[in-house]
Amino acid sequence: LPPIPIRFDPATTALLTWFPWFLLAECALSYIVMARAHKKPIVVLSAEGITVDTTATHLGLIRWDEIEEVRSYTMIYRYVGIVPKNSSALWRRLGTGRSWMLQLNTFCIPLYKLLGIFVAPINIPQVYLPITVDELTARIRAYHEAYIRPVVPAYQSVPMAYDGSIWPPPPARGPSP
């Protein structure tokens, strides 16, 4: 059977031709407006943990005891990758609305491992950061080590040495006043 030609009037043809471009332009403009209006800090380090709030993922607080590994890596762009100890527990705590990207990344990790590529479930891209990925990775690791190590009694306490490479320095765990 020969194909049946479909003929549209000029108005329908124009709509079908230009509508996808208008939709694409609207999505790009919405993203630019959202990115400019995003006034919260991207990353906040505190005694409780790290708060991640990018324009794509609004994860909120990830506690230090929930973090397994922090590393910088490159996959087209530079990223700070955070690997949680238990991704499913973190999903449940954060809720579906905030953790859908975390779930998607966790699902893709085994596929990338087959190719020998590291991908973290939680990613902070370089394009959002005012400092380099390596600097942020060093700061996160310093805070993680300062807050995850066991607390020693005050009579055995030794102040943490600060070598000046990370600013602001993580707080030393010394005797409590």
Side-chain angles (χ1 to χ4, degrees):
L1 293 172
I4 301 171
I6 298 175
R7 301 193 196 288
F8 293 111
D9 62 281
T12 305
T13 303
L15 179 68
L16 292 174
T17 303
W18 290 103
F19 180 73
W21 291 106
F22 285 125
L23 184 64
L24 181 65
E26 190 275 331
C27 289
L29 185 62
S30 297
Y31 180 78
I32 290 169
V33 168
M34 278 183 15
R36 299 260 181 198
H38 189 263
K39 300 295 183 197
K40 291 182 181 178
I42 304 296
V43 175
V44 177
L45 303 174
S46 67
E48 293 84 31
I50 178 172
T51 303
V52 179
D53 188 26
T54 65
T55 53
T57 57
H58 305 284
L59 290 178
L61 180 70
I62 302 162
R63 294 187 307 259
W64 295 121
D65 61 342
E66 295 175 321
I67 296 174
E68 175 79 29
E69 177 185 6
V70 177
R71 85 158 68 159
S72 58
Y73 69 97
T74 303
M75 180 183 230
I76 301 174
Y77 301 106
R78 295 280 295 153
Y79 293 95
V80 174
I82 301 172
V83 180
K85 289 181 182 175
N86 186 345
S87 293
S88 58
L90 190 59
W91 296 346
R92 286 190 299 277
R93 190 177 67 74
L94 293 175
T96 308
R98 289 203 270 170
S99 68
W100 67 272
M101 188 65 105
L102 171 69
Q103 293 174 13
L104 183 64
N105 286 348
T106 303
F107 176 75
C108 294
I109 287 173
L111 302 173
Y112 283 105
K113 277 188 179 177
L114 288 173
L115 300 172
I117 300 171
F118 172 81
V119 176
I122 302 167
N123 298 294
I124 306 166
Q126 172 69 62
V127 295
Y128 294 144
L129 301 173
I131 60 174
T132 67
V133 163
D134 296 323
E135 288 176 66
L136 181 59
T137 302
R139 289 183 190 186
I140 294 171
R141 284 180 180 162
Y143 269 77
H144 185 252
E145 289 170 7
Y147 286 112
I148 206 65
R149 67 186 174 136
V151 179
V152 294
Y155 62 88
Q156 295 178 354
S157 181
V158 177
M160 189 170 74
Y162 176 61
D163 65 357
S165 63
I166 298 171
W167 187 257
R173 286 229 174 162
S176 300

